[in-house]
Amino acid sequence: MESLELLAGGLATAVTPENLMWAAIGVLLGTFVGVLPGIGPAMAVALLLPVTFGLEPTQAFIMFAGIYYGGMYGGSTTSILLNTPGESASVMTALEGNKMAKKGRAAQALATAAIGSFIAGTIGTMLVVFFAPALAGVAVEVGAPSYLAIMLMAMVLVTSVLGSSRLRGFIALFLGLTIGLVGLDLNTGQPRLSFDQPLLADRIDIVVVAVGIFALGEALWVAAHLRRRPLAVIPVGRPWMGKADWSRSWKPWLRGTALGFPFGAVPAGGAETPTFLSYVLEKRLAKKGHEFGHGAIEGVAGPEAANNASAAGTFVPLLALGLPVTATATIMLAALQGYGIQPGPQLMTEHADLVWTLLASLLIGNTLLLVLNLPLAPLWAKLLRIPRPYLYAGILFFASLGAYTANQQPFDLFLLLVFGLLGLLMRRFGLPVLPLILGVILGPLMETKMREALAISDGDVAGLVNEPVAIVVYVIIALLVVVPLVLARVRPPRKPTEIAAELNDDDTTSGPTSGPTSKETVR
């Protein structure tokens, strides 16, 4: 009841006319950017993050909540209409949604995605209201050694489940940790990796890193593979559902929500796993299972709900522990830090008004998303006809403007180019982006907790494992690293006939292939 009372107070702050205006602007901007080809919610949030810098913290996060959900909605639109998901979690939506669109049911696919996102996002946000304060209350008692171990486990979890190999994931993580070292040493004040450049003494702004890796890297990657023929956009029509569509969608919405939220609330590395599990579950439970692979509405409703529920669940570790486990959550952590706010166990007490206003804004943004964007779906589809040279030229302009606005230093534009080229190389060699961003954000926090733990134990390394929680977490980390290696050795090699059968299955249910970003997304 106390949580509901605090949420009601946050709603009272968020529903003023001025704040509702910022929420509506955020939803429209987020959808505008997120609906463009190859741009997922993380990139949309990174591009629009500088827009909120001139606002008060409350207004900024109300707008930010709208941008967040608008970007999520935009990603499903491109997946359904262009078969080009902006992120790996939208692959399952594209698999069935685009097949529905090609059969003339684009409106129904967009509607079930939007309504499912609304239901999952609302339920997920309410679960955050109840779980985040409880977790924060427990986390207050957690010491520096345990906190260090938990952050290390989050890194290992995120790194090991992304990309085509764990090695590539850990290479990306190492790059992120290295970038996080740039600047003055926290204890001695000595410069590290600054190359005698005074502007690097105060660390590299996470906004510059995120916009460079996501926006500029993606634009350069698409430019390198630019196709001269225009994109084939499927007409939308009026986005609504019939009685049969409702009856086939409401159960997948609820099952997807139940699958997605736990994966977001536990630092387990994003929504890819729950969306896949939701797709498999709906395929097994569907009365018309033969439609899967040919445009089954359950294959859109379930994964899209799982995706949004997982996105809502990420606020539990983000607010209570300060652990971002998705790319979008990482950018949101950077936004909080930009206002001098560090998420963690003390956040619920030190900045209670802001936290509850943010959670209330998520509910409002989710509602505005449905009210404003469902009727505007045909309009957003027209944006997909923008020629890609003009589209990515605009992205480069706004990326440069955003990087410069962060600190108003021309040197940041040079850093933006460096990180843009790094993002291009990562896409070229199949390195996942999230571990790098996570390393940049959590690296300095891990260093702080490690030094705090060592200071308490007078430099004794045993001080890193002198708490029961830390010991349990390190055992889990060891199992996460060792068990897959053991299973890979004891598992019998597959026969050539089995591999051929898998390839044939892939051909009959081929996923997203149009657009250069799709291959990278699946990778």
Side-chain angles (χ1 to χ4, degrees):
M1 292 302 297
E2 183 182 357
S3 296
L4 291 176
E5 291 175 2
L6 291 169
L7 181 64
L11 280 170
T13 303
V15 295
T16 61
E18 183 180 4
N19 289 339
L20 284 175
M21 178 193 70
W22 290 117
I25 292 174
V27 167
L28 293 174
L29 280 177
T31 307
F32 177 81
V33 176
V35 81
L36 299 174
I39 300 180
M43 184 173 170
V45 171
L47 272 174
L48 295 173
L49 176 60
V51 177
T52 64
F53 281 174
L55 303 176
E56 295 294 324
T58 301
Q59 297 173 342
F61 285 106
I62 288 173
M63 184 177 178
F64 212 72
I67 291 172
Y68 178 59
Y69 278 119
M72 295 287 290
Y73 174 80
S76 65
T77 302
T78 53
S79 297
I80 292 168
L81 297 183
L82 286 181
N83 205 23
T84 305
E87 58 169 355
S88 53
S90 299
V91 169
M92 291 299 151
T93 302
L95 190 64
E96 297 296 331
N98 189 251
K99 298 287 176 61
M100 287 183 65
K102 289 180 177 178
K103 292 168 65 175
R105 288 172 51 79
Q108 288 74 21
L110 287 172
T112 193
I115 298 170
S117 299
F118 168 76
I119 292 173
T122 302
I123 295 175
T125 303
M126 292 305 299
L127 291 174
V128 173
V129 168
F130 293 108
F131 279 101
L135 182 60
V138 174
V140 171
E141 307 299 328
V142 174
S146 299
Y147 207 86
L148 172 65
I150 292 171
M151 285 192 286
L152 183 61
M153 183 178 68
M155 284 188 174
V156 172
L157 280 168
V158 170
T159 303
S160 61
V161 301
L162 295 176
S164 57
S165 72
R166 289 182 178 83
L167 177 60
R168 291 177 179 177
F170 282 108
I171 290 174
L173 178 63
F174 174 77
L175 290 172
L177 292 173
T178 303
I179 295 171
L181 287 175
V182 175
L184 297 179
D185 186 279
L186 299 176
N187 281 7
T188 65
Q190 295 296 314
R192 300 184 300 193
L193 302 177
S194 60
F195 305 102
D196 297 326
Q197 174 56 252
L199 292 175
L200 289 177
D202 194 26
R203 299 188 178 276
I204 300 175
D205 196 295
I206 185 60
V207 174
V208 177
V209 179
V211 173
I213 293 292
F214 282 106
L216 193 58
E218 182 71 18
L220 294 175
W221 174 255
V222 172
H225 300 80
L226 193 63
R227 299 178 179 180
R228 293 298 175 184
R229 62 182 178 83
L231 293 172
V233 182
I234 299 169
V236 175
R238 183 176 177 81
W240 197 244
M241 301 163 60
K243 184 177 180 180
D245 296 323
W246 279 94
S247 65
R248 293 178 59 180
S249 296
W250 71 271
K251 290 182 181 179
W253 290 335
L254 297 179
R255 286 192 290 260
T257 303
L259 278 172
F261 184 82
F263 277 89
V266 177
E272 292 83 1
T273 301
T275 54
F276 175 76
L277 291 177
S278 175
Y279 181 84
V280 173
L281 178 63
E282 297 307 325
K283 187 175 182 180
R284 289 184 178 275
L285 297 178
K287 294 179 180 179
K288 299 181 179 181
H290 62 278
E291 289 188 8
F292 276 77
H294 305 283
I297 195 170
E298 296 91 343
V300 179
E304 195 62 25
N307 185 12
N308 281 266
S310 176
T314 58
F315 281 93
V316 174
L318 176 65
L319 296 177
L321 301 175
L323 292 178
V325 293
T326 65
T328 310
T330 304
I331 309 303
M332 297 191 77
L333 176 59
L336 286 165
Q337 291 176 336
Y339 285 97
I341 300 169
Q342 179 57 53
Q346 303 295 334
L347 181 65
M348 294 288 180
T349 55
E350 294 179 358
H351 301 279
D353 293 342
L354 182 61
V355 170
W356 292 105
T357 302
L358 172 61
L359 293 176
S361 301
L362 291 174
L363 293 174
I364 293 172
N366 202 23
T367 305
L368 287 175
L369 172 73
L370 189 68
V371 172
L372 295 178
N373 282 340
L374 202 58
L376 294 177
L379 175 63
W380 297 127
K382 292 181 180 179
L383 291 176
L384 302 175
R385 300 184 184 275
I386 297 176
R388 289 202 173 191
Y390 303 139
L391 169 64
Y392 284 94
I395 289 176
L396 292 178
F397 171 77
F398 285 109
S400 302
L401 184 64
Y404 179 78
T405 305
N407 298 303
Q408 297 185 357
Q409 290 285 352
F411 181 69
D412 285 342
L413 295 177
F414 169 74
L415 291 178
L416 180 72
L417 178 60
V418 171
F419 289 118
L421 293 174
L422 177 60
L424 173 64
L425 291 175
M426 292 180 71
R427 287 162 174 79
R428 168 63 182 83
F429 294 104
L431 299 179
V433 173
L434 176 55
L436 182 144
I437 301 295
L438 199 64
V440 176
I441 288 283
L442 290 188
L445 296 177
M446 287 182 62
E447 181 184 4
T448 301
K449 293 298 180 181
M450 183 178 69
R451 292 190 172 185
E452 182 181 335
L454 291 174
I456 294 173
S457 63
D458 292 328
D460 188 356
V461 179
L464 299 177
V465 291
N466 63 355
E467 293 184 357
V469 174
I471 296 173
V472 172
V473 172
Y474 283 125
V475 170
I476 295 174
I477 293 173
L479 292 175
L480 290 170
V481 174
V482 174
V483 170
L485 298 176
V486 174
L487 291 178
R489 287 187 173 275
V490 300
R491 185 180 297 151
R494 292 187 300 172
K495 298 178 181 179
T497 54
E498 295 176 353
I499 299 175
E502 280 191 12
L503 293 175
N504 290 332
D505 291 341
D506 290 342
D507 291 338
T508 57
T509 59
S510 58
T513 54
S514 61
T517 53
S518 300
K519 296 179 180 178
E520 175 58 26
T521 300
V522 175
R523 180 186 299 123

